Amino acid sequence: MKDIKKIVLTGGPCAGKTTALVKVIEHFSSLGYKVFTIPEVPTMFSQSGMDYLTDNKDFFYQGEKATLEVQLDLEDKFQLIAEQCTEPSMIICDRGAMDISAYMKPEMWEKITASVGTSTSMLRDHRYDAVLHLVSAADGAEKYYTTTNNKQRTEGLTLARELDKKVINAWTGHPHLRVINNHEDFNNKLHRVLNEISNVLGIPQPIVEERKYIVELTGEIPGVIESEITQTYLVAEPGCEVRLRRRGWQGKYVYVHTTKRRISDTEKLETERPINNNLYVSLLQQADPYRNTISKVRKSFIWKGQYFELDNYFKPVKNLMILETKGIAEQESVNFPPFIKVIKDITGNSKYYNYNIALKG
């Protein structure tokens, strides 16, 4: 069986998704990949007469149920087609199954998934190899926000920001969810998309240091997504870092096995795969005896179009809070929120790498 990666390209309104999709097809086709694309099914339905704003509950239910069924069927059919290709293949979904859930109440979503014979966990955690969320221009790049290039788009800025966060919340829990910031230069946003997909495909990537800061939290974080993380490092060969991560939201857990390998002074290769609880428990037997398990709470949030992760450590250190930027280009300034007090810039300081924080004294 060919290992065909299935990747979701999603995001809020006016996020640059359509342009990114064109770039993805051009770039990876030039590298010898056969790129299959799954169209945005809700847009297909809207153009065919479906009214997602209807007050008719039965009509809405049947329309949403059909939307999910067609989404899954298209993906499955193209999976079968891709398996017959002689060249390496990949599937890019213009939005995925969980996007549908963002536009209805949880009770209806549960009813629809049950009727289709699936569940949130199956669709979110196990169906796709990666989910790339492009942040709406309505959050941090307002001057570029427009509704003129999509007749189905009628959102104002406030609603667009709300939809953006709903979509992120719908996918939160996926082991390879990446949020692509609004950059000062849109080409940087597109470049990040190509880099993330290359990473999923196992193509070596340039070594880039995300900016990190020791901080204090001085106020409430709006729209925050909070998760518990337990991170265990395994015995590995020199020059290779292998870790297990258990990440939990609201009592539900996802397990990921990650390998990081530096292949030159300027390139690295990182691979990650979701695993089940039984394999996770079994692999814990290979824990590195020279390193502690890390326990921390992560607060993920978007501020002015930039994505941040704030880690509050509990083990093996306490009273340490590290803010990390995600995907902000080197020449860009960081939009620090008012509820964050920066104590120290630790970018590139190996003392604060998780791998070294875990070292036993």
Side-chain angles (χ1 to χ4, degrees):
M1 182 75 68
K2 290 178 62 177
D3 182 20
I4 298 167
K5 301 300 184 183
K6 184 161 52 182
I7 299 165
V8 174
L9 202 59
T10 184
C14 195
K17 187 164 56 67
T18 302
T19 304
L21 187 60
V22 173
K23 290 293 185 183
V24 167
I25 295 170
E26 291 177 349
H27 179 77
F28 291 101
S29 295
S30 71
L31 295 180
Y33 283 86
K34 177 63 177 175
V35 183
F36 294 97
T37 58
I38 308 298
E40 187 174 329
V41 177
T43 296
M44 289 171 50
F45 271 51
S46 293
Q47 293 171 344
S48 301
M50 175 60 193
D51 178 11
Y52 290 104
L53 300 178
T54 180
D55 293 328
N56 185 329
K57 292 183 179 179
D58 293 334
F59 176 71
F60 179 77
Y61 173 85
Q62 290 299 332
E64 290 285 20
K65 179 172 178 286
T67 302
L68 178 60
E69 289 172 329
V70 171
Q71 176 81 43
L72 301 182
D73 198 40
L74 278 172
E75 293 175 7
D76 292 344
K77 295 301 184 186
F78 274 92
Q79 176 76 28
L80 293 174
I81 294 170
E83 289 171 2
Q84 308 311 311
C85 288
T86 54
E87 65 264 58
S89 306
M90 58 191 290
I91 298 173
I92 303 294
C93 303
D94 188 349
R95 300 197 182 278
M98 290 306 299
D99 285 85
I100 300 169
S101 72
Y103 295 85
M104 69 183 77
K105 293 182 178 180
E107 298 79 17
M108 179 174 287
W109 175 246
E110 290 180 13
K111 183 179 178 182
I112 288 176
T113 52
S115 69
V116 175
T118 186
S119 66
T120 291
S121 179
M122 291 171 63
L123 296 176
R124 183 192 63 198
D125 304 336
H126 305 292
R127 188 172 179 86
Y128 307 96
D129 294 285
V131 179
L132 308 184
H133 179 101
L134 280 66
V135 177
S136 170
D139 196 341
E142 289 82 358
K143 64 182 178 180
Y144 298 112
Y145 184 81
T146 177
T147 61
T148 58
N149 61 343
N150 187 334
K151 292 181 180 179
Q152 265 63 51
R153 181 182 299 143
T154 57
E155 308 90 352
L157 288 171
T158 300
L159 180 56
R161 295 187 191 108
E162 292 175 359
L163 289 174
D164 196 68
K165 289 179 173 59
K166 283 184 178 180
V167 173
I168 289 180
N169 286 334
W171 286 107
T172 296
H174 189 281
H176 196 112
L177 170 64
R178 299 291 185 268
V179 178
I180 312 296
N181 298 330
N182 280 319
H183 292 281
E184 293 169 359
D185 180 351
F186 183 65
N187 284 329
N188 287 328
K189 192 174 189 179
L190 299 179
H191 185 65
R192 173 95 189 278
V193 171
L194 298 179
N195 281 351
E196 289 293 349
I197 294 177
S198 297
N199 193 41
V200 174
L201 296 175
I203 300 173
Q205 292 300 293
I207 295 172
V208 177
E209 291 275 8
E210 294 285 4
R211 282 174 267 186
K212 289 186 178 183
Y213 307 87
I214 295 177
V215 300
E216 291 179 1
L217 184 61
T218 61
E220 293 294 320
I221 305 176
V224 68
I225 298 170
E226 190 168 304
S227 56
E228 302 171 6
I229 293 176
T230 302
Q231 198 157 289
T232 306
Y233 289 92
L234 306 185
V235 175
E237 61 187 62
C240 186
E241 178 184 316
V242 182
R243 75 176 186 217
L244 295 177
R245 173 177 282 176
R246 184 184 77 165
R247 189 168 180 175
W249 299 261
Q250 302 173 345
K252 297 179 181 179
Y253 296 92
V254 172
Y255 308 89
V256 180
H257 178 280
T258 302
T259 301
K260 296 181 179 181
R261 188 188 308 273
R262 184 186 289 258
I263 59 177
S264 73
D265 290 339
T266 58
E267 287 186 313
K268 67 176 181 178
L269 185 60
E270 181 175 331
T271 58
E272 62 180 25
R273 60 188 177 100
I275 58 177
N276 59 34
N277 177 61
N278 290 338
L279 182 55
Y280 171 79
V281 172
S282 175
L283 289 173
L284 285 175
Q285 305 304 313
Q286 301 174 26
D288 186 341
Y290 298 103
R291 283 179 166 78
N292 294 295
T293 293
I294 289 177
S295 177
K296 58 187 178 181
V297 169
R298 171 167 293 171
K299 297 177 185 290
S300 305
F301 61 94
I302 294 173
W303 183 259
K304 292 187 177 179
Q306 295 180 342
Y307 186 62
F308 298 89
E309 291 178 346
L310 177 64
D311 286 351
N312 188 11
Y313 289 78
F314 295 96
K315 294 180 182 178
V317 294
K318 292 183 179 179
N319 301 318
L320 176 63
M321 195 171 285
I322 294 179
L323 180 74
E324 183 172 359
T325 65
K326 305 302 291 186
I328 298 177
E330 185 178 352
Q331 67 273 21
E332 283 186 78
S333 57
V334 180
N335 296 327
F336 289 109
F339 46 81
I340 294 291
K341 179 182 178 183
V342 177
I343 306 300
K344 183 181 181 181
D345 185 339
I346 56 171
T347 303
N349 188 335
S350 60
K351 174 184 175 181
Y352 294 100
Y353 293 173
N354 280 297
Y355 190 65
N356 293 330
I357 288 175
L359 266 174
K360 293 182 178 178

